[in-house]
Amino acid sequence: MPDPLRDMPDEDLMLAYARGDAAAFDVLYARHEAGLFRFVRRLLGASLANQADEVFQDTWLRIVKARESFAPQGARWKTWAFTIAHNLAMDRLRTGGREVPVDGAAEGGEERMDWLMAQLDRTHPSTEDEAHWRAAGAQLLHCLDELPDAQRAAFLLHHEDGASVEELAARLGLPFETAKSRLRYALQKLRGCMQHYLQAWEPA
C-alpha cells in the first residue's frame, strides 16, 4: 500500500510532525539527510571536517526544537533548514579561528559551475573515466576549501539548496547586492581553480 507521506511536500511534512506525526519526520530526515550532511561537510571545509557530524546533529536538533514555531510563509522548508545549518557551521568556523573576509566583485559563470557540481555528485561507473572524475572531485573539494567562508557558504546555499540571490539575501540578512557579489565572486574563484577541468569539458 502506498505511503501518502512520501508524496507530501517538505513543508506539509514539517507541519504534520509539529502536530505529533513522528513518521512525517522520519520521511523528512530520510529525504534530506545526505544533502544536508554534504552541505555541512563542504561548508566547514577540510580544517573542521571532523566536526561535521556534530554540526549536522545540532542542525536536526534545532529543527526538532523549532517544529512548533515553523511557518512556511513563502519560504521552502529546505531553505529554512539549510539556513539553520549555515548559521551553526558559520558559528563553528568563527570559533575555530577562521575569518570571514570582505567580498569582492566578479563575473558570472553560474550555469557551468552548477553543472560541474551536479556531475561530481553522480556515480560514474566507467572504469575509463573513474580516475578523471575522482581527480576532478578532489580538486573541487580543494577549491571549495580555499574559498573564504562567506563566499563558500553563498555558493553552497545556491547549489545545494537552489537558493536564488533574493533568497540568499533574505535568509542571511544581507543587502541584495552583497549577496549577489558574494555568489559571483565565489563562482569566479571556483572557475579559475577548476579551469583545467572546465576547459577539458568545453565542446570541440
Side-chain angles (χ1 to χ4, degrees):
M1 183 176 179
D3 183 355
L5 289 175
R6 300 198 178 278
D7 296 324
M8 289 176 62
D10 295 335
E11 296 74 25
D12 291 345
L13 287 170
M14 188 66 182
L15 293 173
Y17 173 54
R19 294 192 297 267
D21 188 346
F25 177 81
D26 292 341
V27 174
L28 200 58
Y29 184 89
R31 187 179 291 175
H32 295 288
E33 175 186 11
L36 196 55
F37 181 81
R38 184 172 60 242
F39 171 72
V40 169
R41 169 63 184 81
R42 288 173 174 171
L43 184 51
L44 289 175
S47 64
L48 296 180
N50 62 339
Q51 299 186 39
D53 281 328
E54 186 177 346
V55 174
F56 174 75
Q57 295 299 332
D58 286 348
T59 298
W60 284 103
L61 285 174
R62 291 283 183 92
I63 290 171
V64 168
K65 290 178 180 178
R67 62 188 182 278
E68 294 182 0
S69 61
F70 174 75
Q73 297 178 344
R76 295 178 302 139
W77 180 90
K78 190 177 177 184
T79 298
W80 175 76
F82 272 62
T83 302
I84 291 174
H86 164 271
N87 292 340
L88 289 170
M90 295 303 285
D91 286 345
R92 193 62 60 96
L93 286 167
R94 280 190 285 269
T95 59
R98 295 181 61 166
E99 297 181 354
V100 180
V102 177
D103 302 301
E107 294 301 320
E110 177 178 329
E111 294 82 2
R112 294 185 65 198
M113 286 306 307
D114 279 351
W115 175 84
L116 173 58
M117 291 287 285
Q119 293 299 312
L120 293 173
D121 282 340
R122 295 175 185 165
T123 300
H124 298 274
S126 170
T127 304
E128 182 180 349
D129 295 336
E130 184 176 353
H132 171 80
W133 284 106
R134 185 176 298 165
Q139 175 66 11
L140 181 57
L141 289 176
H142 167 75
C143 295
L144 283 169
D145 196 46
E146 290 297 306
L147 286 177
D149 299 335
Q151 293 161 15
R152 183 171 63 254
F155 176 79
L156 290 174
L157 278 170
H158 168 77
H159 172 74
E160 301 286 356
D161 175 41
S164 65
V165 178
E166 291 82 0
E167 288 175 321
L168 280 175
R171 301 304 297 182
L172 302 182
L174 298 171
F176 175 83
E177 289 300 326
T178 300
K180 181 179 180 181
S181 173
R182 190 171 291 186
L183 178 58
R184 294 180 69 193
Y185 196 47
L187 287 164
Q188 184 194 47
K189 295 187 75 172
L190 286 172
R191 286 203 326 278
C193 189
M194 293 295 295
Q195 185 175 14
H196 170 75
Y197 293 96
L198 291 174
Q199 287 176 343
W201 294 323
E202 284 181 350

